C-alpha cells in the first residue's frame, strides 16, 4: 500500500516504523528539517520537507494515488486540513489525529462534515485503556472484544498460586469458561497447549467473558474491591478524558497539576473533581493530601521518568492499583522489571488502530478484521474477525481443521452467544472470532489454516 504520513513526531515516526516492517510504501511529510533528516536516516521511507496542508506538497508526496493518509502533526487544525485536501485530491482513505477536548465533544459531525474517514485520539484511547484497568484492578492488561462481551486480561503468576507447577490440561478438566491464550516468560512468548506448566513470574493472558474472568480471579485469590477513588498526577488531556469516564461510574477523582493556570481550567471544566495545584511527584505534597487513602494512583505527566518514579513510589506505599503512562518502550520495560505491572503507551494504542485499518484494506476476502491488539510487549497479536459467506471451512468441527503453528482460536461470538472453543466448535458466516498469533502479522482469517485448507 502507498501510505502518506504527515508529521514526523513521536506518533508519526512510530507508525512509520511498524508500517515499514510490513513492506508498505511509506512517505513522510514534515516542515521541520531536523525531523525529516532523522526519519530519513533511521527508516526506509521517502521524506519530503514542507507544510502538510499544502496541496502542492501533498501532490509531490503522491496524495493523488495514495491508499491512506495519516495526519499526525501536533496541530488538530493542520491534521483536519491535510485530511480534507488529500481526500479531494484522490487519497482513498484519510485518518486525522484530533486531540483537543473542544473538538472531541462534537467529533462525529466534524468528521462527517470534513469527510474524514477516521479520527485517532491517543489520549482518549489511553484513558479508555486505563479505565478498563481500573475496572479489573487485579489485571496488568485488559483488551476488549465483541463490543465488551469478551476480554483478554494479563495477570502475573505469583508464588502460592494453585496453578504453579500444574499442566493446563489438569487445571481445566471439564471446564471451558476461560482460556489461557498466551504466556510471557522473560523475553519468550508462548502459545500454551495442555502440556504448558505455569511458573511464578510468568505473565498469563486469559480470555473469557467479564463475568467468568471475575470468577476465575476470585478462584486465584485476586479479588480486589471495586475502585472508588483515584489519584491522578498530571492534568493533561488523558486526565480530562479519564475523569469524564470515571465520574459517571461513581469514582471520586483527584487531579494534581503543576501549572496554576491549567489547574484553574481543569476546575472549571470538571467541577466534580478535586483539583490540587502542585508537584504530584513531591513526597511532601502527596502525604499532605493523604494520597494513600485512594484506591488507585495514575501518573500522567509529560515526562516518562517522573511517571515511572511516582508510580513505583505509590506501589511501594501500598496503593492497590498503580498505572503509569510511558511512551518509551525501554523505560516501560524498566518499570515492569521493577515491579510495575500496568504501563500505558498512547502512541502504541494508535499503532494498533492503524494496523487494523491497513490490514483491512489489504484483503477482506474470507473475514473482515474488526479489532487488533498487540500483547506480551508486542510479541503476539490478538485479532477479531467477522466471518463471511466465502470464509473457508465453515461448518467443520475445529478438531478436523489444520491450524497453522503459532495461531490459536481463543473465542467466538455465535448468534450473540460467547463460545470458548473446543474440538466440536464450528464456524458460521456472521460469527465474530478472536485469533491469537505469535510471530506473524495476521492479514486475513484464512491465513490461520494450512495451505490446502485455504
Amino acid at each position: 500500500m502507498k501510505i502518506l504520513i504527515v508529521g514526523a513526531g513521536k506518533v508519526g515516526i512510530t507508525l512509520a516504523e511498524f508500517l515499514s516492517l510490513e513492506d508498505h510504501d511509506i512517505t513522510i511529510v514534515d516542515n521541520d528539517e531536523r525531523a525529516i533528516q532523522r526519519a530519513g536516516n533511521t527508516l526506509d521511507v521517502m521524506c519530503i520537507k514542507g507544510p502538510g496542508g499544502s496541496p502542492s506538497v501533498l501532490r509531490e508526496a503522491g496524495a493523488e494515488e495514495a491508499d491512506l493518509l495519516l495526519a499526525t502533526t501536533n496541530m488538530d487544525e493542520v491534521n483536519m486540513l491535510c485530511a480534507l485536501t488529500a481526500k479531494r485530491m484522490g487519497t482513498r482513505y484519510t485518518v486525522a489525529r484530533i486531540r483537543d477536548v473542544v473538538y472531541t465533544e462534537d467529533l462525529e459531525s466534524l468528521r462527517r462534515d470534513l469527510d474524514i474517514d477516521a479520527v485517532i485520539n491517543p489520549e482518549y484511547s489511553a484513558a479508555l485503556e486505563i479505565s478498563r484497568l481500573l475496572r479489573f484492578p487485579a489485571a496488568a492488561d485488559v483488551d476488549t472484544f465483541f463490543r465488551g462481551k469478551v476480554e483478554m486480561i494479563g495477570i502475573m503468576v505469583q508464588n502460592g498460586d494453585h496453578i504453579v507447577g500444574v499442566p493446563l490440561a489438569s487445571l481445566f478438566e471439564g471446564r471451558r469458561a476461560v482460556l489461557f491464550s498466551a504466556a510471557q516468560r522473560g523475553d519468550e512468548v508462548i502459545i500454551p497447549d495442555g502440556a504448558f506448566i505455569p511458573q511464578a513470574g510468568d505473565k498469563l493472558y486469559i480470555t473469557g467473558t467479564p463475568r467468568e474472568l471475575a470468577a476465575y480471579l476470585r478462584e486465584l485469590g485476586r479479588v480486589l474491591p471495586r475502585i472508588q477513588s483515584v489519584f491522578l498526577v498530571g492534568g493533561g488531556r488523558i486526565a480530562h478524558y479519564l475523569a469524564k469516564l470515571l465520574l459517571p461510574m461513581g469514582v471520586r477523582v483527584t487531579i494534581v497539576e503543576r501549572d496554576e493556570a491549567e489547574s484553574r481550567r481543569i476546575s472549571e471544566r470538571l467541577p466534580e473533581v478535586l483539583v490540587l495545584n502542585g508537584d504530584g511527584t513531591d513526597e511532601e505534597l502527596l502525604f499532605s493530601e493523604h494520597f494513600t487513602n485512594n484506591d488507585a494512583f495514575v501518573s500522567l505527566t509529560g515526562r516518562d521518568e517522573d511517571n515511572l518514579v511516582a508510580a513505583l513510589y505509590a506501589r511501594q506505599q501500598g496503593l492497590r492499583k498503580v498505572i503509569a503512562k510511558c511512551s518509551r518502550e525501554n523505560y516501560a520495560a524498566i518499570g515492569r522489571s521493577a515491579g510495575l505491572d500496568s504501563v500505558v503507551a498512547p502512541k502504541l494504542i494508535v499503532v494498533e488502530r492503524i494496523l487494523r485499518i491497513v490490514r483491512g484494506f489489504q484483503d477482506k476476502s474470507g473475514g473482515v478484521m474488526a479489532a487488533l491488539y498487540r500483547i506480551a510487549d508486542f510479541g503476539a497479536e490478538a485479532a477479531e474477525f467477522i466471518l463471511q459467506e466465502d470464509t473457508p471451512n465453515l461448518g467443520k468441527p475445529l478438531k478436523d481443521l489444520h491450524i497453522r503453528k503459532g495461531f490459536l482460536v481463543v473465542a467466538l461470538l455465535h448468534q450473540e452467544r460467547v463460545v470458548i472453543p473446543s474440538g466440536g466448535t464450528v464456524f458460521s458466516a456472521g460469527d465474530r472470532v478472536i485469533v491469537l498469533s505469535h510471530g506473524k502479522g495476521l492479514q486475513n482469517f484464512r491465513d490461520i489454516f494450512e495451505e490446502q485448507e485455504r
Side-chain angles (χ1 to χ4, degrees):
M1 287 178 60
K2 182 173 179 55
I3 301 174
L4 306 186
I5 300 176
V6 180
K10 291 180 181 177
V11 172
I13 291 298
T14 304
L15 286 170
E17 288 173 351
F18 281 93
L19 291 170
S20 61
L21 292 175
E22 300 193 358
D23 296 325
H24 296 290
D25 180 5
I26 310 292
T27 300
I28 295 180
V29 177
D30 198 288
N31 211 24
D32 187 306
E33 181 69 39
R34 287 179 298 178
I36 285 294
Q37 287 182 351
R38 189 164 56 248
N41 292 335
T42 58
L43 299 171
D44 183 19
V45 298
M46 179 181 291
C47 296
I48 295 176
K49 181 183 179 301
S54 165
S56 60
V57 172
L58 288 173
R59 189 171 291 109
E60 180 185 355
E64 294 170 326
E65 301 86 24
D67 296 298
L68 175 65
L69 175 132
L70 307 172
T72 67
T73 77
N74 289 324
M75 297 184 63
D76 290 352
E77 295 81 3
V78 171
N79 294 335
M80 289 186 272
L81 178 60
C82 289
L84 177 63
T85 304
K87 195 62 176 286
R88 292 184 174 178
M89 293 176 70
T91 298
R92 180 182 170 194
Y93 197 93
T94 58
V95 180
R97 180 167 75 157
I98 301 177
R99 309 159 66 199
D100 198 295
V101 174
V102 175
Y103 291 130
T104 54
E105 291 178 351
D106 196 24
L107 203 55
E108 186 54 37
S109 61
L110 185 67
R111 187 190 66 78
R112 183 179 60 251
D113 293 342
L114 294 178
D115 197 20
I116 300 172
D117 294 299
V119 170
I120 53 174
N121 185 331
E123 289 80 9
Y124 181 70
S125 299
L128 276 176
E129 181 159 331
I130 293 169
S131 70
R132 289 196 294 265
L133 290 168
L134 293 173
R135 188 161 50 83
F136 265 116
D141 302 292
V142 180
D143 293 316
T144 302
F145 300 88
F146 303 161
R147 302 181 297 276
K149 290 183 171 65
V150 166
E151 290 177 321
M152 182 183 296
I153 65 172
I155 63 167
M156 301 301 297
V157 180
Q158 301 172 2
N159 285 315
D161 286 342
H162 75 271
I163 63 176
V164 173
V166 182
L168 294 189
S170 301
L171 284 173
F172 291 105
E173 287 180 338
R175 175 178 176 173
R176 302 293 295 182
V178 298
L179 182 72
F180 279 26
S181 309
Q184 187 174 4
R185 181 171 292 167
D187 295 330
E188 183 184 9
V189 177
I190 303 165
I191 304 295
D193 55 17
F196 177 78
I197 301 175
Q199 298 177 7
D202 289 349
K203 187 175 186 178
L204 295 181
Y205 291 85
I206 309 173
T207 305
T209 65
R211 183 180 212 173
E212 291 293 347
L213 288 173
Y216 192 67
L217 288 175
R218 282 196 297 273
E219 189 177 314
L220 281 176
R222 305 292 178 81
V223 179
L224 296 177
R226 186 176 73 87
I227 297 294
Q228 298 185 24
S229 59
V230 179
F231 195 93
L232 308 181
V233 174
R237 292 188 180 99
I238 297 178
H240 174 93
Y241 293 129
L242 182 57
K244 295 275 280 186
L245 290 168
L246 295 177
L247 289 171
M249 298 163 54
V251 178
R252 297 189 306 276
V253 179
T254 301
I255 297 177
V256 181
E257 168 55 41
R258 182 179 300 186
D259 184 85
E260 185 176 352
E262 183 62 25
S263 297
R264 287 197 298 269
R265 282 193 290 271
I266 297 169
S267 295
E268 292 169 1
R269 290 174 174 171
L270 301 169
E272 298 172 88
V273 172
L274 174 60
V275 181
L276 307 172
N277 177 227
D279 182 0
T281 63
D282 179 63
E283 180 181 353
E284 185 176 342
L285 180 144
L286 292 174
F287 275 100
S288 69
E289 297 300 334
H290 307 287
F291 87 112
T292 55
N293 291 341
N294 291 272
D295 298 320
F297 180 97
V298 186
S299 49
L300 299 169
T301 76
R303 286 174 50 85
D304 288 349
E305 298 91 337
D306 289 348
N307 290 335
L308 291 175
V309 169
L312 289 169
Y313 180 70
R315 179 179 173 83
Q316 184 185 43
Q317 295 303 310
L319 273 89
R320 290 200 285 115
K321 184 64 180 180
V322 177
I323 303 169
K325 184 196 80 168
C326 187
S327 297
R328 302 182 189 178
E329 291 179 61
N330 56 334
Y331 280 19
I334 292 171
R336 291 190 185 96
S337 66
L340 190 61
D341 294 336
S342 297
V343 179
V344 173
K347 66 178 184 179
L348 297 183
I349 298 172
V350 171
V351 168
E352 293 172 348
R353 172 101 183 266
I354 297 302
L355 286 177
R356 177 174 64 81
I357 292 172
V358 170
R359 293 184 189 174
F361 278 148
Q362 288 177 292
D363 185 3
K364 288 191 175 182
S365 62
V368 179
M369 188 179 291
L372 175 70
Y373 297 98
R374 294 291 188 97
I375 66 172
D377 292 338
F378 274 53
E381 292 182 355
E384 176 185 336
F385 291 92
I386 305 172
L387 304 189
Q388 309 296 302
E389 293 288 349
D390 62 345
T391 299
N393 301 310
L394 296 182
K396 298 179 182 179
L398 192 57
K399 62 183 174 58
D400 294 337
L401 301 179
H402 296 90
I403 306 296
R404 294 169 60 201
K405 186 177 180 181
F407 295 102
L408 179 68
V409 178
V410 298
L412 68 137
L413 187 69
H414 177 71
Q415 297 179 352
E416 296 304 310
R417 184 173 64 89
V418 175
V419 178
I420 300 299
S422 63
T425 301
V426 299
F427 300 128
S428 303
D431 287 352
R432 302 177 80 100
V433 180
I434 304 170
V435 178
L436 194 136
S437 61
H438 173 220
K440 303 174 180 66
L442 188 56
Q443 306 285 354
N444 188 277
F445 181 74
R446 67 174 67 240
D447 293 340
I448 74 171
F449 301 112
E450 296 288 357
E451 192 70 36
Q452 67 270 19
E453 294 185 347
R454 296 187 203 180

